[in-house]
Amino acid sequence: MSARGPDPASPGGRPPRSPRQSPARRGHASGAPPLASEPGPREHDDDQQDDDERDSLIDVPGGVRLQKVLAAAGVGSRRYCEELIGEGRVEVDGETVRRYGARVDPEHQVIRVDGMRIPSRQDLVYLALNKPAGVLTTMSDDRGRPTIADFLEGYPERLYHVGRLDYDTEGLMLLMNDGELAHRLAHPSYGVLKTYLADVPGPLPRDVGRRLLTGVELEDGVATADKFRVVEQAASRALVELTLHEGRKHIVRRMLAEVGHPVSRLVRTHVGPIALGSQRPGTTRPLTTREIGELYAAVGL
């Protein structure tokens, strides 16, 4: 039911995880594209001293060298990160830094490459889960039913789920221990779009899309889709794609039922810029450095 891309999962059902490496740091090493094309080695010349004096960032006592922080975040090799710094493409707290040895505090300072924020804290974990149907969006259940915690073995961190998926709904869930980012992604005021594919009875009348886009009246108020399209249609069934930014309980199912087309299967395929792709049900994968940066940008961080 979902658009497919490269499958990052391992044959065993979960991607391997090094116990000493945060998943957010593995994007570049695992083959994901770096934030920018990696150039060849830079020739250090007599102009380097001038480059080193072209910024006024105050070094943090006991801080970590900036190129080391960038490399640990998955931006690229340390040599490549030096290239980015020398080219004036790295900012710390809004100030361009050109000194290779600048010392920063990755726990508290905001670091950007080409304007995109990077996940500089080593303790942060960002995951994508393809939740199967018949799984609760909770970490435990007193009735012994399957929960999303069953798919997080090997991750001892306390992770927040971004929004919820109904028991019978499948698809993309984001989990992280970055509380501020998780809050903003889930709050409707930030307008982060979520896209679903739904199997419904056919045929569809011509005005169904217009009704969903202009708003349908539910018992708890009007609900409006941001986008709607028919993916495929046969005489007795149709596959539709619905995008919206709010997250009221059972909202997609209730909207489609209200226009006369109750859902038989529902899959979430996107949360903001993150796509489910071909990730297999029941598997998790770490988000890449670029994906995390895109999430920060989506909520203004």
Side-chain angles (χ1 to χ4, degrees):
M1 267 186 71
S2 59
R4 299 300 183 184
D7 186 355
S10 65
R14 291 187 190 89
R17 179 183 189 230
S18 167
R20 299 183 62 85
Q21 186 180 30
S22 170
R25 314 295 163 228
R26 297 200 295 266
H28 187 65
S30 64
L35 293 177
S37 300
E38 186 161 342
R42 180 185 180 193
E43 293 295 330
H44 292 269
D45 53 30
D46 294 337
D47 292 333
Q48 180 175 334
Q49 184 175 355
D50 294 336
D51 290 343
D52 291 346
E53 296 174 353
R54 283 191 297 171
D55 70 74
S56 58
L57 184 77
I58 298 175
D59 284 347
V60 174
V64 184
R65 290 184 182 274
L66 180 55
Q67 61 265 40
K68 183 177 180 180
V69 174
L70 296 175
V75 174
S77 68
R78 196 172 301 186
R79 181 69 172 182
Y80 171 54
C81 294
E82 290 180 353
E83 293 292 325
L84 295 177
I85 294 169
E87 293 168 5
R89 296 163 63 184
V90 179
E91 295 180 358
V92 178
D93 289 343
E95 181 174 346
T96 300
V97 180
R98 294 181 172 85
R99 287 176 290 122
Y100 303 136
R103 291 187 176 273
V104 299
D105 179 2
E107 297 292 318
H108 300 99
Q109 291 184 294
V110 174
I111 302 172
R112 301 180 188 274
V113 176
D114 292 336
M116 180 178 290
R117 183 173 174 178
I118 67 163
S120 56
R121 285 176 49 186
Q122 291 291 294
D123 62 327
L124 293 181
V125 177
Y126 304 84
L127 300 175
L129 164 69
N130 185 352
K131 186 188 92 65
V135 173
L136 292 171
T137 303
T138 184
M139 292 300 178
S140 63
D141 179 59
D142 55 9
R143 294 166 56 184
R145 291 172 293 179
T147 71
I148 59 174
D150 298 332
F151 307 103
L152 299 175
E153 294 178 9
Y155 292 96
E157 298 86 356
R158 180 182 178 183
L159 301 176
Y160 306 97
H161 50 78
V162 176
R164 306 180 69 86
L165 285 180
D166 303 334
Y167 181 74
D168 292 324
T169 301
E170 311 163 44
L172 179 63
M173 290 195 68
L174 301 182
L175 300 109
M176 60 189 67
N177 58 351
D178 186 331
E180 176 64 16
L181 179 59
H183 168 74
R184 292 194 181 202
L185 288 170
H187 201 284
S189 66
Y190 290 95
V192 177
L193 298 177
K194 303 170 185 68
T195 300
Y196 299 81
L197 286 174
D199 268 317
V200 297
L204 295 174
R206 292 186 176 181
D207 69 339
V208 67
R210 178 187 57 79
R211 293 177 63 190
L212 291 167
L213 292 170
T214 56
V216 293
E217 185 72 41
L218 304 177
E219 65 270 19
D220 54 353
V222 175
T224 305
D226 292 87
K227 299 177 184 178
F228 174 82
R229 72 183 181 99
V230 177
V231 178
E232 59 184 54
Q233 184 170 196
S236 61
R237 64 170 294 275
L239 180 64
V240 299
E241 182 179 80
L242 194 67
T243 300
L244 62 164
H245 67 271
E246 64 171 299
R248 278 182 275 170
K249 189 174 182 180
H250 305 303
I251 186 68
V252 176
R253 293 179 184 274
R254 290 192 292 145
M255 290 176 69
L256 288 168
E258 183 64 25
V259 297
H261 295 273
V263 173
S264 59
R265 185 185 178 198
L266 186 63
V267 176
R268 185 160 67 192
T269 61
H270 293 77
V271 175
I274 311 303
L276 179 64
S278 62
Q279 186 176 337
R280 294 200 299 270
T283 64
T284 61
R285 70 171 180 88
L287 298 185
T288 67
T289 301
R290 175 173 288 279
E291 286 177 320
I292 300 166
E294 290 172 344
L295 289 175
Y296 283 139
V299 296
L301 285 175

PDB file of all heavy atoms in Angstrom, residues 265-279:
ATOM      1  N   ARG A 265      -8.468  -0.577   5.504  1.00  0.00           N
ATOM      2  CA  ARG A 265      -7.046  -0.663   5.856  1.00  0.00           C
ATOM      3  C   ARG A 265      -6.448   0.737   5.746  1.00  0.00           C
ATOM      4  O   ARG A 265      -6.754   1.471   4.811  1.00  0.00           O
ATOM      5  CB  ARG A 265      -6.300  -1.624   4.923  1.00  0.00           C
ATOM      6  CG  ARG A 265      -4.844  -1.840   5.336  1.00  0.00           C
ATOM      7  CD  ARG A 265      -4.087  -2.691   4.339  1.00  0.00           C
ATOM      8  NE  ARG A 265      -2.691  -2.851   4.732  1.00  0.00           N
ATOM      9  CZ  ARG A 265      -1.714  -3.245   3.911  1.00  0.00           C
ATOM     10  NH1 ARG A 265      -1.987  -3.524   2.640  1.00  0.00           N
ATOM     11  NH2 ARG A 265      -0.477  -3.369   4.352  1.00  0.00           N
ATOM     12  N   LEU A 266      -5.594   1.073   6.730  1.00  0.00           N
ATOM     13  CA  LEU A 266      -5.032   2.415   6.776  1.00  0.00           C
ATOM     14  C   LEU A 266      -3.552   2.330   7.111  1.00  0.00           C
ATOM     15  O   LEU A 266      -3.157   1.672   8.076  1.00  0.00           O
ATOM     16  CB  LEU A 266      -5.757   3.261   7.833  1.00  0.00           C
ATOM     17  CG  LEU A 266      -5.385   4.744   7.928  1.00  0.00           C
ATOM     18  CD1 LEU A 266      -5.740   5.468   6.631  1.00  0.00           C
ATOM     19  CD2 LEU A 266      -6.098   5.390   9.114  1.00  0.00           C
ATOM     20  N   VAL A 267      -2.726   3.033   6.299  1.00  0.00           N
ATOM     21  CA  VAL A 267      -1.274   3.042   6.492  1.00  0.00           C
ATOM     22  C   VAL A 267      -0.784   4.477   6.457  1.00  0.00           C
ATOM     23  O   VAL A 267      -1.109   5.231   5.524  1.00  0.00           O
ATOM     24  CB  VAL A 267      -0.548   2.236   5.385  1.00  0.00           C
ATOM     25  CG1 VAL A 267       0.972   2.332   5.552  1.00  0.00           C
ATOM     26  CG2 VAL A 267      -0.976   0.777   5.408  1.00  0.00           C
ATOM     27  N   ARG A 268      -0.012   4.873   7.461  1.00  0.00           N
ATOM     28  CA  ARG A 268       0.625   6.201   7.415  1.00  0.00           C
ATOM     29  C   ARG A 268       1.951   6.075   6.689  1.00  0.00           C
ATOM     30  O   ARG A 268       2.804   5.283   7.063  1.00  0.00           O
ATOM     31  CB  ARG A 268       0.840   6.769   8.822  1.00  0.00           C
ATOM     32  CG  ARG A 268       1.379   8.200   8.775  1.00  0.00           C
ATOM     33  CD  ARG A 268       1.148   8.939  10.072  1.00  0.00           C
ATOM     34  NE  ARG A 268       1.921   8.394  11.181  1.00  0.00           N
ATOM     35  CZ  ARG A 268       1.705   8.723  12.464  1.00  0.00           C
ATOM     36  NH1 ARG A 268       0.717   9.551  12.776  1.00  0.00           N
ATOM     37  NH2 ARG A 268       2.450   8.202  13.407  1.00  0.00           N
ATOM     38  N   THR A 269       2.140   6.896   5.664  1.00  0.00           N
ATOM     39  CA  THR A 269       3.325   6.786   4.816  1.00  0.00           C
ATOM     40  C   THR A 269       4.352   7.887   5.040  1.00  0.00           C
ATOM     41  O   THR A 269       5.514   7.723   4.703  1.00  0.00           O
ATOM     42  CB  THR A 269       2.929   6.794   3.334  1.00  0.00           C
ATOM     43  OG1 THR A 269       2.267   8.041   3.030  1.00  0.00           O
ATOM     44  CG2 THR A 269       2.001   5.628   3.011  1.00  0.00           C
ATOM     45  N   HIS A 270       3.922   9.032   5.586  1.00  0.00           N
ATOM     46  CA  HIS A 270       4.837  10.158   5.799  1.00  0.00           C
ATOM     47  C   HIS A 270       4.495  10.877   7.097  1.00  0.00           C
ATOM     48  O   HIS A 270       3.318  11.030   7.443  1.00  0.00           O
ATOM     49  CB  HIS A 270       4.746  11.190   4.661  1.00  0.00           C
ATOM     50  CG  HIS A 270       5.226  10.706   3.336  1.00  0.00           C
ATOM     51  ND1 HIS A 270       4.488   9.869   2.530  1.00  0.00           N
ATOM     52  CD2 HIS A 270       6.394  10.952   2.671  1.00  0.00           C
ATOM     53  CE1 HIS A 270       5.170   9.619   1.424  1.00  0.00           C
ATOM     54  NE2 HIS A 270       6.324  10.260   1.479  1.00  0.00           N
ATOM     55  N   VAL A 271       5.533  11.331   7.787  1.00  0.00           N
ATOM     56  CA  VAL A 271       5.404  12.300   8.875  1.00  0.00           C
ATOM     57  C   VAL A 271       6.325  13.452   8.520  1.00  0.00           C
ATOM     58  O   VAL A 271       7.551  13.316   8.559  1.00  0.00           O
ATOM     59  CB  VAL A 271       5.785  11.709  10.242  1.00  0.00           C
ATOM     60  CG1 VAL A 271       5.750  12.799  11.324  1.00  0.00           C
ATOM     61  CG2 VAL A 271       4.860  10.558  10.615  1.00  0.00           C
ATOM     62  N   GLY A 272       5.761  14.589   8.126  1.00  0.00           N
ATOM     63  CA  GLY A 272       6.582  15.686   7.652  1.00  0.00           C
ATOM     64  C   GLY A 272       7.463  15.228   6.499  1.00  0.00           C
ATOM     65  O   GLY A 272       6.988  14.611   5.542  1.00  0.00           O
ATOM     66  N   PRO A 273       8.783  15.482   6.579  1.00  0.00           N
ATOM     67  CA  PRO A 273       9.682  15.116   5.486  1.00  0.00           C
ATOM     68  C   PRO A 273      10.123  13.660   5.504  1.00  0.00           C
ATOM     69  O   PRO A 273      10.830  13.221   4.602  1.00  0.00           O
ATOM     70  CB  PRO A 273      10.891  16.034   5.723  1.00  0.00           C
ATOM     71  CG  PRO A 273      10.928  16.209   7.206  1.00  0.00           C
ATOM     72  CD  PRO A 273       9.479  16.257   7.629  1.00  0.00           C
ATOM     73  N   ILE A 274       9.718  12.892   6.513  1.00  0.00           N
ATOM     74  CA  ILE A 274      10.179  11.508   6.657  1.00  0.00           C
ATOM     75  C   ILE A 274       9.198  10.566   5.977  1.00  0.00           C
ATOM     76  O   ILE A 274       7.989  10.614   6.224  1.00  0.00           O
ATOM     77  CB  ILE A 274      10.349  11.112   8.130  1.00  0.00           C
ATOM     78  CG1 ILE A 274      11.160  12.169   8.883  1.00  0.00           C
ATOM     79  CG2 ILE A 274      11.022   9.744   8.240  1.00  0.00           C
ATOM     80  CD1 ILE A 274      12.529  12.452   8.310  1.00  0.00           C
ATOM     81  N   ALA A 275       9.723   9.676   5.128  1.00  0.00           N
ATOM     82  CA  ALA A 275       8.897   8.730   4.382  1.00  0.00           C
ATOM     83  C   ALA A 275       9.089   7.310   4.897  1.00  0.00           C
ATOM     84  O   ALA A 275      10.185   6.925   5.304  1.00  0.00           O
ATOM     85  CB  ALA A 275       9.249   8.784   2.886  1.00  0.00           C
ATOM     86  N   LEU A 276       8.019   6.535   4.875  1.00  0.00           N
ATOM     87  CA  LEU A 276       8.092   5.124   5.264  1.00  0.00           C
ATOM     88  C   LEU A 276       8.927   4.325   4.279  1.00  0.00           C
ATOM     89  O   LEU A 276       9.700   3.447   4.666  1.00  0.00           O
ATOM     90  CB  LEU A 276       6.683   4.547   5.345  1.00  0.00           C
ATOM     91  CG  LEU A 276       6.569   3.075   5.725  1.00  0.00           C
ATOM     92  CD1 LEU A 276       7.091   2.851   7.140  1.00  0.00           C
ATOM     93  CD2 LEU A 276       5.113   2.613   5.617  1.00  0.00           C
ATOM     94  N   GLY A 277       8.780   4.620   2.996  1.00  0.00           N
ATOM     95  CA  GLY A 277       9.517   3.877   1.976  1.00  0.00           C
ATOM     96  C   GLY A 277       9.180   2.404   2.009  1.00  0.00           C
ATOM     97  O   GLY A 277       8.040   2.008   2.232  1.00  0.00           O
ATOM     98  N   SER A 278      10.188   1.560   1.840  1.00  0.00           N
ATOM     99  CA  SER A 278       9.969   0.110   1.799  1.00  0.00           C
ATOM    100  C   SER A 278      10.344  -0.564   3.109  1.00  0.00           C
ATOM    101  O   SER A 278      10.555  -1.769   3.156  1.00  0.00           O
ATOM    102  CB  SER A 278      10.791  -0.508   0.665  1.00  0.00           C
ATOM    103  OG  SER A 278      12.181  -0.289   0.885  1.00  0.00           O
ATOM    104  N   GLN A 279      10.407   0.199   4.175  1.00  0.00           N
ATOM    105  CA  GLN A 279      10.733  -0.370   5.482  1.00  0.00           C
ATOM    106  C   GLN A 279       9.705  -1.425   5.863  1.00  0.00           C
ATOM    107  O   GLN A 279       8.508  -1.202   5.800  1.00  0.00           O
ATOM    108  CB  GLN A 279      10.780   0.746   6.530  1.00  0.00           C
ATOM    109  CG  GLN A 279      11.243   0.286   7.891  1.00  0.00           C
ATOM    110  CD  GLN A 279      11.375   1.445   8.861  1.00  0.00           C
ATOM    111  OE1 GLN A 279      11.541   2.597   8.445  1.00  0.00           O
ATOM    112  NE2 GLN A 279      11.307   1.171  10.155  1.00  0.00           N
TER     113      GLN A 279
END
